[in-house]
Every structure is written in structure tokens, then in C-alpha cells.
Amino acid sequence: MDVDTLISNTTILTMDAERRILTDGAIALAGDRIVAIGKTADVRVEAKTTIDGRRFLVTPGFINGHVHPTEALLKGFMPEALPFDESLFTWVMPLYEAHTPEEQQVAARLSALSMLRTGTTAFLDAGTTVALDEVFEAVEATGLRGRFGRWLQDRQFGPDGSLDTTDAALRAMEDELTRYPGGNGQRLAAWPMLVGHNTNTDELWRAAKAMADAHGAGISAHLSPAQNDSDWYLAEFGRRPVEHLASLGVLGPNLNLVHMVHVDENEVSLLASSGTNVTHCPASALKGGYGSTSVGKFPEMAAAGVNMMLGTDGSDIADMMKPMSLMAGLFKDARRDTSLFPASQVLEMATVNAAKAMGMADSIGSLAVGLKADLVLHDLDRPEWRPLNNYVNQLVWSADGRGVHSVWVDGQRLVDNYRCTVMDEEKVLADAQAAADAIMQRSGLPYVYDWPVL
């Protein structure tokens, strides 16, 4: 068999159905697929490129279940000590709206670079706020895999909750799904990306579900990071948020709900019985003071069989290995139970669970013959990896994205020897700084430091 790339004499965390860890393993890529995997002695191919993998651990590419690619320019700018509403209405929304389409492109390139360099090969967008076509163009050129869409609402944020035109949101949704289809294995495709919370009318929710079903797509929406969402739904409908979505008939395997901190036992049961997916973003929950460790029912969701994945969320991080280590520790401490969320379960959340949530379990999330060639080489000749005693534990607890040496998506090597092969990294970083400076200046918001900057 002739192949494009052979990585031999390596260790492979397959994440396959048996969760095999292959030592002295080999993996062969041809086109966009894995065509052979097994012990090095058993994988007999003729390769255009052969890589000696002795110093590497091979894993599937990580899947980021919730990321704002167009928020990448806001890193570090927003103060920490803000209540949820002030953070959203005084800082986040005005800063989003201050972007030009060109600056959204710059942000998307920076986010793509950050994800690729730390081992993420696929992502679920949190909703593009200004310029969908420009963001698609920027990300498509990077080789990343993703599902994305315009941030849709028809009930406004804010105390008045005024309504926008639902028809306009419906037209935008149908337009995106038609122009960016995902039915033939496209790397990038559109989903209905609802803002969620209390910003979407019942009509828009039902239409999003119908369109997603018709186009073979999914839906993603924010819900219940704070108590506000539950209070609003109870006052408006006499039901909690998940109970209301169940009454609309929109729960199901192609719905992903993000944050989901303030839920009760009945909501957990509804999520599990419907097959609805949940994304937890532990870093943003901690920074936002959502109360995930004090009131969050993520251990109960896992025990009930809810499919959960992880996300980085906002601008502060893009390295999926950070939420992995946080997830492995938060609930051990909160519940004083070290059996909760072992490293193996957390790794599943960042790979196979996420692939299932994105409707792509038959193509990504694990390493097996016939699946897409989305994989990562982690450099083991680094202090965090030596001595090497347990591949999975050290991947989650000891390592981070700085040890990512190489990345393939669809069989294309997008990171090689710690450098992105499809972007001018220096230009991406310089453009990002210039764009961020311009946005902050236009916003009129202050730079906030605890200490004097001289």
C-alpha cells in the first residue's frame, strides 16, 4: 500500500472503542484518511514521508466544544471583578460591536493559530457577532475543522428584553445553512448558533430545530451560567429553562447547551433522556464566579449518561489542555471525592464525546482505519513528560499545549516542529496587536490595572 505519511515506532492513544494504547505503534495516512494503524511491525506500507515517532505520543486532535473565535482580540482587557450583567452589557457586547469585519478576520486567524498550536483540530463556534463570511474565509484558509454560524437572537439582551424581527433571524439562519452546508464531510459548515439565555423566542427555537433537522446540522446555545436564566424562565413560563425547551420539542442529540451550571435534578433527567449534549467551560465558570463547583450538577449529569464535552469559551485561553486539567480537579475538590472525572474520562470529553456532540463520531475524535486524519504529536522529550509513567494521567495533569510538536487535519500537516505551516505567525500576531489597539481605543473603555503602569 502506498501512503502519504507514516509515523512509526511511536505510542498512540487511539481513543477507539476499546481505548487501546499502542506502544511501538504506527499510523499511516493517505489523503484525508487513516489507512492503517497497529504495531509498527504489522503496518507495512510504502510512504512518501516517514516520521520516527519514538519521542512522540500520538493522540486524536482535540475538539473545542465552545469557543468565540472572534473574541480573541479581547484577551486580558476586561476587568475581573464584574458581576455577570455588567460584564456582558458594559464590556462584552460593546467590544464585540466595536469590531470591523476586517478585525473579525484578524481575530479568527489568531484564534485558529492558537487552537492549532495547542492541538485543537476541530471547534464549535459560540456564534460570530459581526462578519460571518469574512470569518469563514479566514478560518477556511487555516485548515481547521469547525461548525459555526451567526449569533442569532430575536429578543434583545438587557432589561427591556425588546423584540427584534424573528423573520430576519430565520432568513439569516436559512441563508447560512444553504450557503455553508455540512452534508458531504466539509471541514467548515454552518449550524444555527442561538445566543440562548432568554434572547430567543419560542418561534425561533422551534424553527432552529426544524432547520437543523432538515439540513443534518446541530444547534448550539448558551444557557444557565447564572441564576438569571432560571429566574426569567420561571417568571415567564412557570418552568425552568430545560423544562421549557423540552415543552417546545427542541431537546435532542443535535442540540448542544453551553455552561448549564444552574440546573436542577429534573433538568438533568431531561437532558439525559433526550440525548441533549452539554458543554462545560470550567475556566470561564471559575473566572465568572458562576458557582459551578458549589451548585453545578456535572457529576450527576455524567452519572445520568449526559454526553458532555469541554470548551475554552472566551478570549483568555485557547489551549484545550487547560480545561481538561481543570475538569479533572474541580469536582474532586468540590465533592471531596477523588473518583470523580478521572483523566481518562476527561480525555473522552475532549475527543470522542465532543465528536458525538458535533455529529461527527464516524469521522473524528478517535484514531482508527477509515476515520479522518486529524491527529497530534506531543513531544515527550520535555520536563513535564519525564519521567514517563502514565500516558493519560500526564497528558491531562502534567502537560499542556506548549508540548504540541505537530498537527494534522484532513491529512494535511498544519503544525510542524512547533510552527504553523499555513500562516505567517509573526504577521498574525502583529495584525492582532494593531487591531486590538484600534478596537480598545474606539470602545472608550478604560484599561484597568491593579498597579500603576509607568
Side-chain angles (χ1 to χ4, degrees), residues 410-430:
D410 260 355
Q412 298 298 308
R413 195 173 191 173
L414 303 181
V415 177
D416 181 4
N417 195 23
Y418 298 99
R419 298 285 293 180
C420 187
T421 63
V422 292
M423 283 182 270
D424 181 338
E425 294 193 9
E426 286 71 22
K427 185 177 189 311
V428 171
L429 299 179

Side-chain angles (χ1 to χ4, degrees), residues 60-393:
F62 301 133
I63 302 169
N64 192 333
H66 188 73
V67 58
H68 292 259
T70 52
E71 195 178 311
L73 302 181
L74 310 184
K75 192 181 289 101
F77 185 64
M78 288 174 282
E80 291 181 276
L82 294 174
F84 183 78
D85 285 353
E86 184 180 350
S87 171
L88 194 62
F89 302 132
T90 304
W91 291 83
V92 174
M93 297 307 298
L95 285 168
Y96 281 169
E97 292 163 1
H99 285 68
T100 67
E102 293 75 20
E103 287 163 347
Q104 293 248 290
Q105 277 200 324
V106 171
R109 288 191 192 98
L110 176 62
S111 183
L113 175 62
S114 300
M115 286 191 277
L116 284 171
R117 284 283 304 272
T118 53
T120 290
T121 57
F123 70 95
L124 185 54
D125 179 21
T128 295
T129 53
V130 174
L132 185 71
D133 292 341
E134 287 83 355
V135 168
F136 176 90
E137 180 183 4
V139 176
E140 199 279 334
T142 71
L144 262 176
R145 191 182 306 284
R147 296 294 178 262
F148 70 108
R150 193 173 306 169
W151 219 28
L152 293 173
Q153 62 181 32
D154 56 345
R155 182 183 288 114
Q156 286 293 319
F157 275 117
D160 63 347
S162 59
L163 291 175
D164 276 349
T165 304
T166 301
D167 287 346
L170 294 175
R171 288 194 300 271
M173 193 185 302
E174 183 66 44
D175 173 66
E176 292 163 15
L177 290 168
T178 300
R179 290 192 298 119
Y180 299 119
N184 295 312
Q186 290 92 335
R187 280 191 296 104
L188 294 181
W191 278 18
M193 298 296 180
L194 303 185
V195 175
H197 303 298
N198 63 348
T199 71
N200 303 111
T201 62
D202 291 355
E203 182 182 355
L204 189 59
W205 266 111
R206 289 192 180 102
K209 173 65 172 175
M211 288 188 195
D213 289 347
H215 287 267
I219 310 166
S220 193
H222 306 76
L223 198 65
S224 298
Q227 184 64 34
N228 304 28
D229 286 354
S230 296
D231 292 343
W232 187 89
Y233 276 87
L234 285 166
E236 189 77 9
F237 302 110
R239 293 186 289 265
R240 294 180 65 84
V242 176
E243 293 170 338
H244 185 65
L245 295 184
S247 76
L248 299 180
V250 300
L251 298 182
N254 66 342
L255 174 62
N256 174 56
L257 296 174
V258 183
H259 298 311
M260 300 301 289
V261 172
H262 290 263
V263 300
D264 70 3
E265 292 180 1
N266 188 49
E267 288 180 292
V268 171
S269 178
L270 288 169
L271 294 168
S273 62
S274 64
T276 300
N277 307 286
V278 167
T279 297
H280 183 35
C281 303
S284 63
L286 287 174
K287 187 177 181 182
Y290 295 166
S292 65
T293 58
S294 58
V295 302
K297 295 190 178 298
F298 296 99
E300 286 78 8
M301 290 185 207
V306 175
N307 186 57
M308 288 192 292
M309 58 178 171
L310 298 171
T312 57
D313 197 8
S315 59
D316 293 306
I317 60 171
D319 182 353
M320 273 294 292
M321 297 175 78
K322 290 186 177 181
M324 286 165 63
S325 62
L326 285 173
M327 192 69 192
L330 287 176
F331 295 96
K332 287 179 172 66
D333 178 70
R335 304 293 180 88
R336 300 183 184 184
D337 182 352
T338 56
S339 70
L340 294 175
F341 296 113
S344 55
Q345 186 177 10
V346 170
L347 183 56
E348 289 175 335
M349 294 171 74
T351 55
V352 291
N353 289 13
K356 179 181 178 181
M358 291 181 69
M360 303 173 74
D362 60 347
S363 58
I364 63 173
S366 56
L367 302 176
V369 171
L371 299 190
K372 289 283 192 177
D374 293 10
L375 60 142
V376 178
L377 298 190
H378 303 264
D379 191 344
L380 302 179
D381 283 343
R382 294 173 57 90
E384 64 268 26
W385 279 104
R386 297 296 180 187
L388 181 52
N389 298 309
N390 185 297
Y391 299 108
V392 178
N393 285 353

